[in-house]
Amino acid sequence: MNNIEDDKTDEILKEKTGDNMLEQQWKQRLELLKTWLVEAGERQIERMNEGLQVEQKSAANDLVTEMDLWTDEFLQAKIKESFPDDSIYSEEIGQLQGQSGYEWVIDPIDGTTNYAHGFSMFCISVAINYEGETVIGVVLAPQLQQCYEAVRGQGAFLNGKKLSVSSIDSMPKAIVATGFPYDKATHPENNVKQFNAVILKVGDIRRTGSAALDLCHVAGGHFDAYWEYKINRWDFEAGLLIVEEAGGKVAKKKLSRGYLVVAGNEVILDGLLELIKE
């Protein structure tokens, strides 16, 4: 009997030790990440004020600046220096495989079109996954001086203040956000039909141009829900964790290109899913 109890005690101690080690690893990564994002964000604002080099990617409205590339390279260099065995998946540079079980998912500037036009709704979005699950999400909007962050199981925060999704439970009162893919004029999977269906049933729709910030505004209760088609992991993984940790619900579906992502408080999320389904 004593041996059985001793074995159980050993198992509990091992679990607690493992949990503590993970918490320390997450805290270390979170604190370093926030420091790096502040430095990158300050540089982004400096360059925006000085004048940017802007290039076209896949379409006339799909832009990239030298600061998208600089920020991506800057963050990758910092990660490689501090955590050389971690994997990295970023918008501008692509994927680097590591062996640690950690993966950093980076959008160096979410809302590049806004940034290129000097509009403040842009951010740096970084998610950190551990063994396939998002455990850390940070979204920094440098010109707005807003830092959204979440660690799985520990809540979501804006500049240290705890966040909570809205309690609106009526679709006609709901404010929802969305966006459109770059190829909306040439590809049938373009969100126009869904937009037309939703606008007639909700209080209003907002279009900010940054998926990550839209999700953060859902987490803060400023928007009641959000949906968008054909966005990528770097656009939404940090924001989805922040919404979940603020008490919200999320859904995503893999498409032929990118994902359909929906988030909100539970009531409005369900109503929105009904409106946008084919």
Side-chain angles (χ1 to χ4, degrees):
M1 187 68 176
N2 286 339
N3 288 338
I4 294 174
E5 290 178 352
D6 289 344
D7 289 343
K8 287 183 178 178
T9 300
D10 289 342
E11 289 177 8
I12 292 170
L13 288 173
K14 286 179 182 178
E15 286 180 7
K16 287 184 176 180
T17 300
D19 290 344
N20 289 337
M21 288 179 62
L22 280 179
E23 287 178 6
Q24 291 172 7
Q25 291 173 7
W26 295 357
K27 182 177 180 181
Q28 181 187 23
R29 283 167 172 78
L30 174 63
E31 294 306 317
L32 282 172
L33 173 58
K34 289 194 292 184
T35 300
W36 300 337
L37 293 189
V38 168
E39 184 176 348
E42 289 174 349
R43 182 60 181 146
Q44 288 181 359
I45 293 173
E46 288 174 5
R47 288 294 298 123
M48 185 175 67
N49 293 332
E50 293 168 358
L52 292 163
Q53 296 176 9
V54 182
E55 297 179 6
Q56 179 181 315
K57 291 170 72 175
S58 62
N61 59 345
D62 184 8
L63 305 180
V64 63
T65 73
E66 82 266 23
M67 286 309 298
D68 291 80
L69 302 172
W70 179 90
T71 304
D72 208 330
E73 292 170 354
F74 169 80
L75 291 175
Q76 291 214 33
K78 292 292 188 182
I79 295 164
K80 290 175 188 175
E81 180 182 1
S82 298
F83 308 105
D85 293 329
D86 287 7
S87 299
I88 303 173
Y89 181 53
S90 70
E91 178 177 10
E92 304 302 340
I93 298 179
Q95 194 160 32
L96 297 172
Q97 292 291 343
Q99 307 297 324
S100 68
Y102 284 97
E103 179 192 41
W104 301 64
V105 182
I106 302 169
D107 192 340
I109 302 180
D110 185 52
T112 296
T113 299
N114 291 343
Y115 177 65
H117 286 79
F119 181 46
S120 60
M121 294 298 291
F122 65 90
C123 63
I124 311 170
S125 177
V126 180
I128 303 177
N129 300 328
Y130 179 68
E131 295 186 346
E133 180 180 52
T134 304
V135 296
I136 294 169
V138 181
V139 175
L140 177 75
Q143 198 168 42
L144 299 174
Q145 297 185 337
Q146 294 177 341
C147 182
Y148 295 86
E149 63 181 275
V151 176
R152 183 162 296 280
Q154 297 182 23
F157 300 86
L158 166 59
N159 295 346
K161 182 179 178 181
K162 191 172 177 61
L163 297 175
S164 179
V165 296
S166 79
S167 59
I168 293 292
D169 59 1
S170 167
M171 292 298 287
K173 295 180 180 179
I175 302 297
V176 301
T178 193
F180 295 88
Y182 292 117
D183 59 355
K184 59 185 178 294
T186 59
H187 195 281
E189 196 173 56
N190 58 25
N191 200 27
V192 174
K193 177 182 175 182
Q194 290 78 9
F195 181 93
N196 290 337
V198 173
I199 190 64
L200 299 176
K201 298 294 184 179
V202 300
D204 212 339
I205 292 179
R206 298 290 180 263
R207 163 81 163 110
T208 72
S210 169
L213 283 177
D214 284 343
L215 288 165
C216 289
H217 288 307
V218 170
H222 310 300
F223 298 154
D224 305 298
Y226 157 84
W227 93 98
E228 190 165 351
Y229 284 82
K230 296 162 80 172
I231 60 174
N232 297 292
R233 291 176 55 206
W234 51 73
D235 296 308
F236 63 77
E237 285 197 352
L240 285 189
L241 177 64
I242 292 168
V243 170
E244 289 180 306
E245 288 298 316
K249 302 296 181 182
V250 304
K252 68 177 186 285
K253 178 183 178 181
K254 188 75 173 70
L255 305 174
S256 58
R257 194 193 84 201
Y259 291 79
L260 163 64
V261 172
V262 189
N265 74 42
E266 186 169 8
V267 174
I268 305 303
L269 173 75
D270 290 342
L272 186 56
L273 286 170
E274 283 296 313
L275 289 175
I276 66 173
K277 71 181 182 182
E278 297 296 336

